[in-house]
Amino acid sequence: DQQVKQNSPSLSVQEGRISILNCDYTNSMFDYFLWYKKYPAEGPTFLISISSIKDKNEDGRFTVFLNKSAKHLSLHIVPSQPGDSAVYFCAASASSGGSNYKLTFGKGTLLTVNP
Amino acid sequence: NAGVTQTPKFRVLKTGQSMTLLCAQDMNHEYMYWYRQDPGMGLRLIHYSVGEGTTAKGEVPDGYNVSRLKKQNFLLGLESAAPSQTSVYFCASTMFGPGGKLFFGSGTQLSVL
């Protein structure tokens, strides 16, 4: 049973436009959410995170929005740059219920930013 | 500043052979993890450790064993490799558990023939 879902395997946008990557979760115990970026032949790197007590977190060109009632979060990249082309993973953890040591990842979305 | 180092980077095994993947971190992190990445499957947790001398099972632990004898090292063992274990393996570490961000190694590409 997939608890973190990224339903779009790929996304293609033009340079300078907005990229919106979506993530849904089913476990209501999740209270911390993270986005990781992964280039080919490299390990994932942390991008941005959000706690369930917030609905928005911003870091430069990257903003994560959390809608707890819909169990949905999204990552906005504005403006998109060719160097943003990578696989983006959504991840979640729960601070209680025995899952606080573990991150659950989605399957990833391949973002391609075209010049 | 090395961060998380995985060895080897590539390995080819025959079915039934055994091997150990080594992960070393120099950030004094308490928590360490082994994930595998397969096409269309994302990152799945194999085993993890919340401190020296501790290990615990993740979501796909079968066929793997781990040890954390030293705080800085986390070893992943395959006792009898199977083709289904062909994957890219990533080690990660963090100080405060998953509420804090994970630092990943660059991965080990393992092929089992």
Side-chain angles (χ1 to χ4, degrees):
Chain A
D1 181 28
Q2 201 180 349
Q3 298 187 64
V4 178
K5 301 178 183 179
Q6 294 179 256
N7 292 320
S8 298
S10 63
L11 174 68
S12 182
V13 299
Q14 287 299 121
E15 181 178 5
R17 304 295 290 269
I18 185 171
S19 295
I20 300 177
L21 293 89
N22 294 303
C23 179
D24 298 295
Y25 61 96
T26 58
N27 188 340
S28 58
M29 299 296 290
F30 287 150
D31 55 6
Y32 201 80
F33 305 90
L34 306 92
W35 285 93
Y36 284 80
K37 179 169 72 173
K38 185 185 180 304
Y39 293 118
E42 295 183 9
T45 56
F46 171 78
L47 188 59
I48 192 169
S49 63
I50 188 167
S51 164
S52 60
I53 62 174
K54 294 185 174 182
D55 54 18
K56 175 183 175 181
N57 189 27
E58 193 171 354
D59 184 2
R61 295 185 297 114
F62 304 91
T63 303
V64 57
F65 295 92
L66 176 63
N67 182 334
K68 290 186 290 293
S69 61
K71 293 190 176 67
H72 177 83
L73 61 155
S74 61
L75 174 67
H76 293 210
I77 306 174
V78 182
S80 300
Q81 300 174 353
D84 296 329
S85 297
V87 175
Y88 288 79
F89 289 103
C90 173
S93 70
S95 58
S96 62
S99 299
N100 52 321
Y101 300 122
K102 298 180 286 186
L103 267 183
T104 301
F105 284 84
K107 293 184 177 182
T109 297
L110 174 63
L111 173 66
T112 303
V113 181
N114 301 302
Chain B
N1 189 0
V4 179
T5 303
Q6 291 182 233
T7 54
K9 294 190 183 303
F10 303 94
R11 186 71 185 268
V12 179
L13 291 177
K14 294 181 179 179
T15 297
Q17 288 185 317
S18 63
M19 78 161 293
T20 300
L21 282 66
L22 172 63
C23 177
Q25 52 94 4
D26 61 2
M27 296 173 283
N28 201 34
H29 285 169
E30 289 291 338
Y31 304 87
M32 297 188 74
Y33 306 83
W34 276 107
Y35 285 89
R36 59 178 288 176
Q37 184 192 11
D38 302 291
M41 298 297 291
L43 291 161
R44 293 183 293 170
L45 182 63
I46 305 171
H47 285 280
Y48 64 101
S49 168
V50 300
E52 181 178 315
T54 75
T55 63
K57 294 181 180 179
E59 47 179 320
V60 289
D62 294 342
Y64 305 96
N65 57 75
V66 287
S67 64
R68 183 98 181 269
L69 298 179
K70 293 183 178 181
K71 185 178 183 178
Q72 64 267 33
N73 295 336
F74 195 28
L75 278 63
L76 178 71
L78 284 72
E79 297 167 338
S80 179
S84 61
Q85 294 177 304
T86 293
S87 187
V88 181
Y89 292 86
F90 289 101
C91 176
S93 71
T94 186
M95 176 62 82
F96 300 112
K101 61 184 181 181
L102 295 184
F103 292 82
F104 282 85
S106 58
T108 296
Q109 173 70 61
L110 176 65
S111 295
V112 183
L113 307 177

